[in-house]
């Protein structure tokens, strides 16, 4: 109670109740009042006190407010007051003027404590999700704010409750589709809190079409020119995509990368960028980087990089990169974004190499960026960004590495223009230590994992001063090292030399050829210097170890064994290994090893490069082993290397032989295929020729048989005469049968005409059918009779047509027999030539008559089909008439039913009137009957008529 008195002030002199008492009374009123208005007023009063007396309202009223949410769902006003009160109690986002200065710091933790109380019962969160579904503004908006506050206070616990709740996340996704911007915007803030560090919820939200809705909102709000709503949507998109490979793949597959291109269309007028636009564009660039981050799986990053190139997003970013008037922080972030979009993607790297700055004359974008990197007046973060861009351009890009190194070679140097190589050399030997370090690291990346370029860089010669001979780049680097410059400069040069000499024996030989280099390194390692110099000592030990490990023993004075003996005498092996370990133990080394992007809080911390840390990790162990190896082990190792080389040579020789044999096998397979195809073609031609020969043999045998039968035909001359006589009799019979069929055909045509007249009569009778019920019945009976008659006649016609078709088939068979008999007759005999001619004429007539019969049968079948159609139409008209009749009968039945109902009603009314009249008469009220009233009315009419006559 002392604490409450301190919060609310001392007791007042009057009888006015304190805040705690008032809150207790209001809580009792909420709990005990039966009227909804009383409860509503009490909850409204609690809401007004909840900001000032947050602790008291939270302790006493929370349970009652939750009960109100459960029981008074029908009244949106009291629900809104209860939600607002709970929000004021749980939320820590109070305005400064509303906070009391004398409140202890413990009050700041009240929100999380009250949240823990609220979510202890999971049903409360489920109830809140149900309330958020309500469309009423006074319920939905405070519900969204309260749920957001719960997530801020106890995020993981509330996330888990929502995740296990049925359709919990899907309900909240509907907030993005709300037409009221206040609810939609607060829904975005709610989803921000909901998706923090929870991959399962992030996936559900993404598959609930969140990307489409958020991108639509960003477009509606004006992309980068939009307000804080765009910022909130971008933050939510980052939550969904960052470190979530599934959502990143879904975003790419859904073609949403293409919709990001309009974000970066900033226009030519870049003056007067608002703070909100800078923030929005900064978040948009970060979102692009999330999709192509080096920490993502390589396959996913590569596919996103290609999509960004094909949709024009990379081109748009390069336009911003070369534009004027862009704020410095946006330019820096754009450089970082372009860096990661092109990193390791050959297509994007080639495009970036072709980009030119809008200057006169045009210069490559790489050259312009390198100018900024070696310029000490540029901001530090911008120089780091340019270095990262250059590193990403050269990452796994041997073509780009060759182009950079070629600008340093004597044959390709152009004195009229500034090249990338000249800028790197200028930065390498400038007075600014940061430029020295950046240029050394950039040049080391140009040599990364490329032994050919390491050898070519040995040809680079530098003119140090007028009158002196040129010095090689390698020698100039060692000269600057020996002059004792700043630590940052020496670290950069040592990293360059270590990268240059690693895995390149020729570069090691050139380095050892200078007699001052080895004494300098041993002297640096052997000295006991301060902590700042320990890093230089470690790098010198690494360089000397590389000179031993990659030494090919071509220099007699600097063979591996002699260098080891030198280390043993002047430094000591243990001391050497200890100094070598200074590198990996350094704090800045561990920072640089975390990610590829160089991020340093200040220029003094810029010491290590990410790729160099990989080299140290790779070489530290092998150098330690190489130092402890004896000469015999080295000899054995050399012998093993020689044997391995011989083995490799043998393997390569056999591989070459196998490749040649494979080529020969392929050629032989092709020849076999061509030969098999030719063989198949020849076999086909052979089979054709065999079949033709067989046909010729058959024809020859037939001719022989015919020649053998000529004599037999000559002897059987009399028999042929008899056969021809038989043919003439059969022809006459056929003629008679044809005449009979013609007569039958005429009869059938007459019958069809009669049927047509019947159909016409039926149509006319159907047209004369009236709308009355009697006419419809007569029409129905007549139509049915005609229908039956027509069906009978159709059956008769069908049977006749079948008989005709059978007789026609018989005639065709007889005709074929006659043809066979004609062919058997001897065509050579001169006496029977006239009869053969007559037979042919008869056959022609028979065929013509048969064709005519077929055409007549076809005509009959067509007439039959038309008759069927007429019957169908008549049956449809009959069906229509039957429908009309049924409708009329139904209407008559309904009208009769209505009349009966009216009669019943009238009878009831008469009974009621008579009953009322009897009651009135019993009460003594004079009541006239209807008959009296009618007689009275008639008497009045008579009197009026008499008066008119008198007048």
């Amino acid at each position: 109670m002392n604490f409450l008195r301190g919060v609310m002030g001392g007791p007042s002199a009057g009888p006015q109740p304190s805040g705690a008492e008032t809150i207790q009374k209001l809580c009792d009123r909420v709990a005990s009042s039966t009227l909804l208005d009383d409860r509503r007023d009490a909850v409204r009063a609690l809401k007004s006190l909840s900001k000032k007396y947050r602790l008291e309202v939270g302790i006493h009223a929370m349970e009652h407010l939750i009960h109100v949410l459960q029981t008074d769902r029908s009244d949106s006003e009291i629900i809104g007051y209860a939600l607002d009160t709970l929000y004021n109690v749980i939320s820590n986002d109070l305005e400064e003027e509303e906070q009391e200065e004398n409140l202890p710091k413990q009050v700041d933790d009240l929100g999380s404590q009250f949240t823990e109380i609220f979510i202890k019962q999971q049903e409360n969160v489920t109830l809140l999700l149900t309330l958020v579904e309500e469309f009423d503004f006074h319920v939905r908006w405070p519900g969204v704010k309260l749920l957001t506050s719960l997530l801020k206070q106890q995020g993981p616990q509330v996330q888990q409750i929502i995740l296990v709740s049925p359709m919990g996340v899907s309900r909240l996704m509907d907030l993005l589709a709300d037409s009221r911007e206040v609810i939609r915007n607060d829904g975005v803030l709610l989803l921000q809190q909901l998706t923090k560090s929870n991959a399962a919820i992030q996936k559900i939200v993404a598959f609930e079409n969140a990307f489409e809705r958020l991108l639509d909102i960003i477009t509606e709000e004006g992309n980068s020119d939009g307000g804080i709503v765009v910022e909130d949507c971008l933050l939510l998109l980052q939550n969904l995509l960052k470190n979530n490979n599934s959502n990143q793949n879904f975003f790419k597959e859904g073609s949403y990368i293409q919709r990001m291109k309009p974000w970066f269309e900033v226009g030519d007028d870049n003056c007067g960028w608002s703070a909100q636009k800078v923030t929005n564009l900064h978040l948009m660039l970060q979102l692009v980087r999330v999709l192509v981050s080096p920490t993502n799986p390589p396959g996913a990053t590569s596919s996103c990089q290609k999509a960004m190139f094909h949709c024009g997003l990379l081109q748009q970013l390069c336009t911003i990169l070369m534009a004027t008037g862009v704020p410095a922080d946006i330019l820096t972030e754009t450089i970082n974004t372009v860096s990661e979009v092109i990193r390791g993607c050959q297509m994007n790297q080639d495009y970036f190499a072709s980009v030119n700055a809008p200057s006169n004359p045009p210069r490559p974008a790489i050259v312009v960026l390198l100018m900024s990197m070696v310029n000490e007046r540029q901001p530090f973060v911008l120089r780091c960004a340019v270095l990262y861009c250059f590193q990403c351009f050269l990452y796994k890009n041997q073509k780009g590495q060759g182009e950079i190194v070629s600008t340093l070679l004597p044959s390709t140097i152009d004195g009229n223009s500034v090249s990338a190589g000249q800028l790197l050399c200028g930065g390498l030997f400038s007075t600014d230590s940061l430029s020295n370090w950046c240029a050394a690291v950039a040049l080391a990346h140009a040599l990364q994992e490329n032994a050919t370029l390491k050898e070519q860089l040995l040809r680079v010669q530098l003119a140090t001063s007028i009158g002196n001979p040129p010095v090689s780049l390698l020698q100039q680097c060692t000269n600057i090292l020996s002059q004792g410059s700043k630590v940052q400069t020496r670290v950069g040069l040592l990293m360059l030399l270590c990268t240059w000499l690693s895995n390149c024996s020729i570069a090691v030989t050139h380095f050892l050829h200078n007699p001052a280099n080895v004494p300098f390194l041993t002297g640096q390692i052997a000295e006991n210097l301060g902590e700042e110099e320990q890093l230089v000592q470690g790098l010198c030990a690494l360089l000397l170890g590389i000179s031993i490990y990659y030494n090919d023993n071509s220099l007699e004075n600097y063979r591996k064994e002699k260098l080891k003996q030198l280390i043993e005498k002047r430094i000591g092996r243990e001391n050497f290994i200890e100094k070598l370990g200074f590198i990996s133990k350094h704090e800045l080394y561990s920072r640089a090893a975390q990610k590829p992007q160089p991020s340093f809080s200040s220029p003094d911390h810029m010491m290590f490069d990410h790729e160099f840390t990989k080299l140290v990790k790779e070489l530290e162990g092998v150098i330690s082993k190489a130092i402890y190896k004896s000469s015999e082990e080295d000899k054995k190792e050399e012998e093993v290397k020689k044997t391995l080389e011989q083995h490799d040579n043998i393997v390569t020789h056999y591989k070459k032989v196998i490749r040649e044999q494979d080529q020969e096998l392929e050629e032989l397979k092709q020849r076999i295929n061509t030969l098999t195809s030719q063989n198949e073609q020849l076999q086909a031609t052979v089979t054709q020729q065999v079949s033709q020969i067989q046909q010729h043999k058959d024809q020859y045998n037939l001719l022989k048989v015919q020649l053998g039968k000529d004599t037999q035909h000559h002897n059987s001359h009399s028999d042929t005469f008899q056969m021809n006589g038989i043919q003439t009799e059969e022809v006459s019979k056929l003629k008679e049968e044809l005449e009979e069929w013609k007569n039958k055909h005429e009869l059938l045509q007459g019958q069809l005409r009669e049927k047509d007249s019947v159909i016409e009569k039926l149509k006319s009778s159907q047209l004369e059918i009236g709308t009355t019920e009697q006419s419809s019945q007569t029409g129905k009976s007549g139509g049915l009779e005609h229908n039956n008659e027509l069906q009978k006649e159709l059956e008769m016609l069908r049977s006749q047509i079948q008989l005709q078709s059978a007789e026609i088939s018989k005639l065709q068979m007889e005709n074929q027999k006659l043809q066979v008999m004609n062919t058997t007759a001897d065509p050579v005999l001169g006496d029977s030539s006239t009869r053969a001619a007559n037979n042919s004429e008869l056959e022609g007539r028979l065929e013509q008559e048969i064709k005519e019969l077929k055409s007549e049968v076809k005509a009959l079948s067509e007439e039959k089909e038309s008759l069927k159609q007429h019957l169908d139409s008549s049956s449809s008209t009959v069906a229509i008439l039957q429908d009309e009749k049924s409708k009329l009968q139904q209407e008559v039945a309904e009208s009769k039913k209505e009349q009966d109902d009216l009669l019943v009603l009238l009878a009831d009314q008469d009974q009621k009137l008579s009953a009322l009249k009897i009651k009135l008469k019993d009460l003594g009220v004079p009541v006239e009957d209807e008959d009296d009233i009618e007689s009275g009315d008639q008497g009045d009419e008579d009197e009026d008529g008499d008066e008119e006559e008198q007048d």
Side-chain angles (χ1 to χ4, degrees):
M1 291 300 293
N2 292 329
F3 170 71
L4 294 177
R5 285 173 187 158
V7 172
M8 295 177 290
S12 58
Q16 187 176 2
S18 63
E21 294 174 352
T22 305
I23 291 166
Q24 187 61 49
K25 289 180 180 179
L26 291 172
C27 291
D28 295 340
R29 190 174 168 190
V30 171
S32 60
S33 294
T34 56
L35 293 177
L36 180 61
D37 293 337
D38 292 342
R39 292 199 301 275
R40 188 190 302 121
D41 293 339
V43 175
R44 186 191 296 116
L46 285 172
K47 175 190 170 184
S48 61
L49 293 171
S50 59
K51 290 184 179 180
K52 187 174 182 180
Y53 302 106
R54 181 183 176 190
L55 177 64
E56 292 78 3
V57 174
I59 292 171
H60 298 293
M62 181 175 286
E63 185 179 352
H64 300 295
L65 293 171
I66 293 171
H67 184 69
V68 167
L69 295 178
Q70 293 171 346
T71 56
D72 292 330
R73 290 278 300 278
S74 59
D75 187 66
S76 61
E77 193 173 356
I78 191 172
I79 295 292
Y81 291 146
L83 291 171
D84 283 330
T85 308
L86 288 171
Y87 172 74
N88 292 336
V89 168
I90 289 172
S91 175
N92 286 329
D93 303 332
L94 297 176
E95 298 181 2
E96 293 181 0
E97 63 268 14
E98 294 177 350
Q99 292 182 354
E100 298 288 342
E101 293 181 358
N102 56 354
L103 284 176
K105 293 182 180 180
Q106 297 175 356
V107 178
D108 294 337
D109 199 36
L110 285 176
S112 61
Q113 293 177 6
F114 285 133
T115 302
E116 193 171 350
I117 295 169
F118 184 84
I119 67 174
K120 187 176 288 185
Q121 298 293 330
Q122 294 188 7
E123 295 81 5
N124 296 339
V125 179
T126 307
L127 175 63
L128 191 55
L129 289 172
T130 308
L131 292 172
V132 167
E133 280 189 296
E134 296 288 338
F135 187 75
D136 194 331
F137 181 82
H138 297 290
V139 176
R140 197 172 207 183
W141 187 38
V144 170
K145 291 194 296 180
L146 177 57
L147 193 55
T148 306
S149 183
L150 292 173
L151 285 163
K152 284 181 181 179
Q153 303 296 339
Q154 299 286 342
Q157 292 87 340
V158 181
Q159 284 175 342
Q160 193 61 31
I161 295 170
I162 294 173
L163 191 59
V164 299
S165 176
M167 299 294 290
V169 179
S170 301
R171 295 178 190 177
L172 300 178
M173 285 301 300
D174 294 336
L175 297 172
L176 295 181
D178 201 304
S179 58
R180 296 160 293 193
E181 289 190 2
V182 176
I183 294 177
R184 184 199 68 186
N185 299 342
D186 282 349
V188 173
L189 296 175
L190 169 60
L191 291 171
Q192 275 185 30
Q193 299 297 327
L194 181 65
T195 55
K196 275 186 179 179
S197 305
N198 194 311
I201 293 178
Q202 289 168 3
K203 290 179 183 178
I204 295 171
V205 171
F207 283 97
E208 287 285 343
N209 208 19
F211 293 139
E212 184 77 29
R213 296 182 184 181
L214 291 172
L215 291 172
D216 288 341
I217 293 171
I218 291 171
T219 305
E220 291 170 6
E221 295 291 327
N223 294 329
S224 60
D225 294 322
I228 196 169
V229 180
V230 174
E231 179 183 349
D232 294 335
C233 290
L234 292 169
L235 289 171
L236 177 54
L237 284 171
Q238 280 192 17
N239 284 354
L240 295 175
L241 292 172
K242 197 168 186 178
N243 300 323
N244 195 318
N245 299 328
S246 174
N247 283 1
Q248 288 174 8
N249 187 48
F250 180 65
F251 191 84
K252 178 184 70 68
E253 295 296 334
S255 300
Y256 296 119
I257 291 177
Q258 288 80 343
R259 295 187 61 178
M260 297 169 72
K261 184 190 173 186
W263 294 356
F264 304 103
E265 295 174 356
V266 295
D268 297 329
D269 186 15
N270 294 325
C271 300
W273 288 54
S274 64
Q276 188 61 54
K277 182 174 181 178
V278 171
T279 303
N280 291 344
L281 203 56
H282 199 275
L283 290 171
M284 289 171 178
L285 291 168
Q286 286 181 350
L287 194 62
V288 175
R289 292 184 65 186
V290 165
L291 294 171
V292 293
S293 174
T295 58
N296 294 343
T301 301
S302 176
S303 58
C304 289
Q305 287 172 334
K306 291 175 183 177
M308 289 176 184
F309 175 79
H310 290 303
C311 74
L313 181 58
L314 175 60
Q315 294 84 331
Q316 201 66 43
L317 292 173
C318 291
T319 304
I320 298 174
L321 195 66
M322 295 291 108
T324 56
V326 179
D329 52 348
I330 293 297
L331 182 61
T332 303
E333 191 63 24
T334 305
I335 294 171
N336 288 326
T337 306
V338 171
S339 306
E340 294 183 351
V341 172
I342 67 173
R343 187 177 188 268
C345 182
Q346 187 66 50
M347 178 173 56
N348 293 2
Q349 289 167 341
D350 292 342
Y351 171 77
F352 184 69
S354 67
V355 175
N356 289 323
S359 59
N360 193 12
R363 288 177 177 170
I366 298 171
V367 173
V368 175
L369 291 174
L370 288 176
M371 286 180 177
S372 302
M373 186 184 75
V374 298
N375 188 354
E376 55 185 316
R377 288 175 293 183
Q378 292 293 339
F380 172 67
V381 289
L382 179 63
R383 298 174 75 180
C384 291
V386 172
L387 176 62
Y388 184 47
C389 184
F390 191 72
Q391 291 174 354
C392 292
F393 170 68
L394 297 177
Y395 182 71
K396 293 183 179 179
N397 183 12
Q398 292 189 354
K399 180 182 176 183
Q401 288 175 329
E403 291 174 354
I404 297 298
V405 172
S406 65
T407 59
L408 288 165
L409 299 177
S411 59
T412 57
I413 292 176
D414 185 7
N416 297 325
S417 62
V418 179
S419 65
Q422 293 173 358
L423 289 170
L424 290 176
C425 284
L428 195 62
F429 308 122
S430 70
T431 56
D432 179 27
S433 62
L434 187 59
S435 298
N436 301 151
W437 190 91
C438 291
V441 171
L443 198 55
H445 277 264
L447 304 174
Q448 198 80 35
E449 298 179 358
N450 199 326
T452 306
L453 295 181
K454 291 176 182 178
E455 295 176 8
Q456 289 184 6
L457 200 63
L458 296 170
R459 297 164 45 202
V460 176
Q461 301 289 322
L462 302 175
T464 54
S465 60
I466 299 172
N468 293 328
V471 181
S472 68
L473 178 61
L474 185 64
Q475 184 62 43
Q476 184 65 20
C477 291
T478 56
N479 291 340
I480 295 172
L481 271 176
S482 60
Q483 291 173 4
S485 53
K486 292 181 181 179
V487 174
Q488 193 174 37
T489 302
R490 284 182 287 163
V491 168
L493 290 171
L494 285 167
M495 286 195 298
L496 172 60
L497 290 172
C498 290
T499 306
W500 194 348
L501 269 60
S502 64
N503 204 18
C504 184
S505 300
I506 299 173
V508 170
T509 304
H510 278 72
F511 178 76
L512 295 176
H513 196 270
N514 187 351
N517 289 340
V518 174
F520 168 74
L521 292 177
T522 54
Q524 288 286 321
I525 298 167
E527 290 182 7
N528 291 321
L529 303 174
E531 292 183 0
E532 294 181 356
E533 295 292 332
Q534 285 181 354
L535 189 56
V536 177
Q537 287 182 321
L539 291 170
C540 288
L542 179 65
L543 183 59
L544 186 57
I546 290 171
S547 301
I548 295 171
Y549 186 72
Y550 292 104
N551 193 344
D552 58 357
N553 295 327
S554 58
L555 295 175
E556 185 63 31
N557 295 330
Y558 296 103
R559 295 173 65 86
K560 286 184 179 182
E561 188 59 34
K562 290 185 177 181
L563 290 174
K564 289 179 186 179
Q565 291 174 1
L566 186 65
I567 290 172
E568 180 68 29
K569 291 177 182 178
R570 295 191 179 181
I571 304 169
R573 291 179 181 178
E574 289 79 9
N575 192 21
F576 179 85
I577 299 300
E578 183 183 357
K579 297 293 176 68
L580 184 63
F582 285 163
I583 302 173
S584 57
K585 293 176 183 177
H586 203 279
E587 181 185 359
L588 298 176
Y589 173 88
S590 58
R591 287 185 188 176
Q594 292 175 359
K595 57 182 180 178
Q597 183 183 359
S599 56
F600 306 100
S601 56
S602 67
D604 297 334
H605 293 160
M606 207 168 188
M607 288 294 176
F608 284 108
D609 173 56
H610 178 75
E611 292 297 325
F612 181 73
T613 60
K614 294 181 181 179
L615 182 66
V616 172
K617 195 179 295 183
E618 178 186 347
L619 293 177
E620 188 175 5
V622 295
I623 289 173
S624 301
K625 291 179 182 179
I627 295 298
Y628 283 102
K629 282 180 182 178
S630 62
S631 59
E632 294 179 357
E633 291 177 350
D634 287 337
K635 287 179 182 178
K636 288 180 181 178
E637 189 175 349
E638 288 177 2
E639 289 176 358
V640 170
K641 284 183 179 179
K642 287 180 181 179
T643 54
L644 287 173
E645 287 177 0
Q646 292 175 359
H647 179 71
D648 291 339
N649 293 330
I650 294 168
V651 169
T652 52
H653 173 69
Y654 280 116
K655 283 182 178 178
K656 186 177 180 182
V657 172
I658 290 168
R659 287 195 199 96
E660 292 175 355
Q661 290 178 352
D662 287 338
Q663 290 178 357
E664 292 177 359
L665 282 172
E666 288 296 328
E667 291 175 358
L668 290 171
K669 285 179 181 178
Q670 290 177 359
R671 287 183 64 186
I672 288 168
N673 291 329
T674 54
L675 289 171
T676 50
S677 62
Q678 290 176 2
N679 187 18
E680 289 174 357
Q681 291 176 359
L682 291 171
Q683 285 180 354
T685 54
V686 166
T687 52
Q688 288 178 359
Q689 289 176 357
V690 167
S691 63
Q692 289 177 0
I693 290 166
Q694 188 65 34
Q695 289 176 3
H696 291 311
K697 284 182 178 179
D698 295 339
Q699 291 176 1
Y700 176 71
N701 292 327
L702 287 171
L703 289 171
K704 283 177 72 177
V705 170
Q706 288 177 358
L707 288 171
K709 288 181 178 180
D710 284 343
T711 55
Q712 295 177 1
H713 286 298
H714 184 71
N715 295 327
S716 61
H717 183 221
S718 61
D719 295 332
T720 55
F721 278 118
Q722 292 177 1
M723 290 170 67
N724 289 330
I726 293 167
Q727 288 177 357
T728 53
E729 291 176 0
E730 288 178 354
V731 168
S732 61
K733 288 180 181 179
L734 288 170
K735 284 182 178 180
E736 291 175 359
E737 288 178 359
L738 283 172
E739 290 295 327
E740 290 177 1
W741 283 113
K742 283 182 181 179
N743 295 328
K744 289 180 180 178
H745 179 64
E746 289 176 357
L747 289 171
L748 288 171
Q749 283 183 346
Q751 291 176 358
L752 285 170
R753 290 191 196 97
E754 291 176 0
K755 304 303 177 293
D756 289 333
S757 63
V758 170
I759 289 167
E760 291 296 328
K761 290 178 182 178
L762 181 64
K763 286 182 180 178
S764 61
S765 64
Q766 287 173 354
L767 291 172
E768 291 173 359
I769 292 172
T771 58
T772 61
E773 186 177 358
Q774 294 176 353
S775 63
S776 65
Q777 290 176 353
T778 56
K780 177 185 174 185
S781 59
L784 290 170
E785 292 174 359
H786 284 294
N787 195 1
N788 294 326
E789 291 176 359
L790 288 171
Q791 285 180 352
K792 291 178 181 179
E793 291 172 356
L794 270 175
E795 293 295 329
M796 292 172 65
L797 284 172
R798 284 175 183 168
S799 61
Q800 290 177 3
I801 287 166
Q802 288 177 356
L803 293 171
Q804 285 180 355
S805 61
E807 292 177 356
I808 287 167
S809 62
K810 286 180 182 179
L811 286 172
Q812 287 178 348
M813 292 291 290
E814 292 175 357
N815 188 10
Q816 289 177 358
K817 289 179 181 178
L818 286 172
Q819 288 178 354
V820 171
M821 292 168 67
N822 284 329
T823 54
T824 54
D826 189 3
V828 182
L829 297 174
D831 295 337
S832 62
S833 60
T834 56
R835 292 183 180 179
N838 293 329
N839 287 334
S840 62
E841 289 177 1
L842 286 170
E843 288 174 1
R845 290 176 184 175
L846 284 170
E847 288 178 356
Q848 187 175 1
E849 289 177 355
I850 288 165
K851 288 180 181 177
E852 289 176 355
L853 284 171
K854 286 182 179 179
S855 62
E856 289 174 359
V857 170
K858 186 177 181 182
L860 286 171
S861 64
E862 289 177 355
E863 290 176 358
K864 174 187 170 185
E865 292 296 328
S866 64
L867 193 60
K868 278 186 180 180
Q869 292 178 0
H870 289 310
L871 281 171
D872 293 336
S873 62
S874 63
S875 61
S876 63
T877 53
V878 169
I880 291 167
L881 289 170
Q882 288 178 352
D883 292 339
E884 291 179 353
K885 175 189 171 184
S886 63
K887 288 180 182 178
L888 288 170
Q889 288 177 349
Q890 188 175 1
E891 290 176 359
V892 169
E894 288 177 355
S895 62
K896 286 181 179 179
K897 186 177 181 182
E898 289 176 357
Q899 289 175 0
D900 294 336
D901 293 338
L902 287 172
L903 289 171
V904 171
L905 289 172
L906 287 171
D908 293 339
Q909 194 70 22
D910 289 337
Q911 289 178 0
K912 289 179 181 179
L913 285 172
S914 61
L916 290 171
K917 285 178 182 179
I918 292 167
K919 286 181 180 179
L920 289 171
K921 287 178 181 179
D922 294 339
L923 293 170
V925 178
V927 179
E928 296 180 354
D929 294 332
E930 289 181 358
D931 297 334
D932 298 337
I933 293 168
E934 288 177 359
S935 61
D937 291 339
Q938 289 176 357
D940 293 338
E941 288 176 0
D942 294 337
E943 290 176 0
D944 292 337
D946 295 337
E947 289 176 359
E948 287 176 359
E949 288 175 358
Q950 291 175 4
D951 293 336

